[in-house]
Amino acid sequence: MTTRDTTRESIWTPLDLESEGVGGADELLARLGEMGPDELARLLAQEKGLVFRGFGVTPDRLDEVLDLLLPNRLAYVHGNSPRTKVGSNVYTSTEYPQEFTISMHNEMSYAHAWPARLAFYCQIQPGSGGATPVVDAELWLGSLDDEVRAAFAGGVRYVQNLHDGYGLGKSWQDTFETTSREEVEAFLDPTGAEWQWKADGGIRVTSVRPATTRHPVTGTETWFNQADQWHPAGLGDDTAAALAQILPEDDLPQNVTFADGSPIPAEYVVQIRDRGLEHAVDVDWRAGDLLLIDNILLAHGRRPFTGDRRVLVAMSD
């Protein structure tokens, strides 16, 4: 059964695809098999996000479902958020303290290549809260002041400082899923990034990327960067002030400027963060539910929660 929110014509929401009563992975696999990969791709480009509700998929059947939703699952190489790998290119969602909101972002929009699709799976539903908010990235772009959009027209410059096993943020070994410097350099070489191995064994990676992109099928232009998450102002005044006392800006685990190296005003960052959250639609979780999103058309985040919550994520090109 396919259900539509009655407000979909005025307020975008993801499309709910509900169990017809049988439930379980077998029903969902049959539904996806009938749909076929081409129809799934068409529907996802049209709807931007699909929620599979009431099927009650169990962890032992997840791989079979993901094989159809994500034909070519990708490793989270060069990912900047803390995660744990729990299966065949399946990871925990960002391991960030549960009392905080994770602001809206398109996965790996700071990288030279990013996943086209993300699939989220709820293994353990939260006690309360814990929704995954999603926002139409075209709407997010349009919600920003003209001054902000114009300022970002030249793109952004990301800087990562990855330690060698001890320090703030992620190590380069975790980030690139290797202990080989040669493999890191081979990965970075075709990306257009610049890098420098540091005396303490860490590495600094600098990349200039566009602030928006266009969807390869629909042609839609979307806000597509993580300036607000990489900028100290996006962390809130108290956290930013605490970091400033520990490290100079150039040595933060991650930082961002405009493409020419000039600073991004804090008020721009706050506007970007807040308007993304303002226009977001919450996807609430029940155990066994899945959410499939187009990573260019939708950005995602996480609401605070209480109790246990375990949401897994996988991605594909």
Side-chain angles (χ1 to χ4, degrees):
M1 178 179 181
T2 300
T3 62
R4 288 181 177 272
D5 190 310
T6 57
T7 62
R8 276 180 62 87
E9 293 186 2
S10 57
I11 301 174
W12 175 88
T13 61
L15 180 67
D16 279 359
L17 300 169
E18 296 186 349
S19 166
E20 296 179 348
V22 178
D26 288 337
E27 182 190 359
L28 182 52
L29 289 168
R31 292 272 295 276
L32 292 173
E34 292 171 4
M35 185 181 299
D38 292 343
E39 174 60 15
L40 178 64
R42 185 202 66 78
L43 189 62
L44 185 60
Q46 173 184 300
E47 301 292 343
K48 305 174 186 177
L50 307 174
V51 185
F52 299 92
R53 293 201 182 279
F55 293 94
V57 175
T58 53
D60 61 305
R61 304 297 301 277
L62 179 60
D63 270 348
E64 298 172 73
V65 175
L66 291 179
D67 284 346
L68 295 183
L69 295 179
L70 305 173
N72 181 32
R73 261 182 276 168
L74 301 173
Y76 188 59
V77 177
H78 203 187
N80 70 317
S81 63
R83 303 178 188 271
T84 301
K85 193 171 186 176
V86 297
S88 177
N89 288 342
V90 178
Y91 300 81
T92 57
S93 55
T94 303
E95 295 166 358
Y96 195 62
Q98 64 189 58
E99 63 269 26
F100 296 116
T101 296
I102 297 176
S103 60
M104 310 310 294
H105 60 286
N106 305 80
E107 198 65 45
M108 298 183 70
S109 56
Y110 53 84
H112 78 293
W114 49 81
R117 298 180 185 179
L118 302 181
F120 300 88
Y121 165 72
C122 180
Q123 182 177 349
I124 301 173
Q125 66 189 63
S128 66
T132 294
V134 289
V135 66
D136 182 331
E138 179 185 20
L139 174 63
W140 191 7
L141 173 62
S143 75
L144 301 175
D145 291 353
D146 291 345
E147 176 185 352
V148 174
R149 293 200 303 270
F152 278 84
V156 293
R157 178 177 177 266
Y158 299 101
V159 179
Q160 282 179 293
N161 288 294
L162 304 170
H163 59 77
D164 189 30
Y166 180 78
L168 291 176
K170 292 180 71 175
S171 70
W172 62 263
Q173 293 93 337
D174 286 341
T175 297
F176 295 101
E177 295 190 1
T178 182
T179 58
S180 166
R181 288 190 175 198
E182 290 75 17
E183 289 183 13
V184 172
E185 293 178 1
F187 176 88
L188 291 173
D189 188 52
T191 69
E194 297 178 355
W195 69 89
Q196 174 188 2
W197 292 102
K198 302 196 292 187
D200 62 4
I203 186 173
R204 175 175 293 164
V205 181
T206 303
S207 310
V208 175
R209 308 293 182 209
T212 67
T213 193
R214 289 191 179 274
H215 192 272
V217 175
T218 68
T220 303
E221 185 180 15
T222 65
W223 188 248
F224 197 76
N225 66 81
Q226 285 176 238
D228 61 309
Q229 288 197 327
W230 286 54
H231 195 289
L235 301 173
D237 293 341
D238 292 343
T239 303
L243 280 174
Q245 292 181 344
I246 300 171
L247 292 170
E249 193 168 281
D250 284 347
D251 290 332
L252 292 173
Q254 56 192 39
N255 194 25
V256 64
T257 65
F258 288 123
D260 62 3
S262 59
I264 299 173
E267 59 268 26
Y268 288 4
V269 171
V270 172
Q271 179 184 136
I272 293 163
R273 180 196 65 196
D274 290 352
R275 292 194 183 168
L277 287 166
E278 175 187 345
H279 292 288
V281 174
D282 284 353
V283 176
D284 294 310
W285 289 114
R286 291 175 294 181
D289 286 351
L290 291 106
L291 166 66
L292 181 68
I293 69 172
D294 185 300
N295 187 44
I296 293 178
L297 297 176
L298 291 185
H300 65 281
R302 191 205 68 193
R303 301 294 186 186
F305 64 95
T306 63
D308 294 328
R309 177 187 189 271
R310 185 174 175 86
V311 173
L312 305 180
V313 63
M315 55 202 78
S316 73
D317 53 14

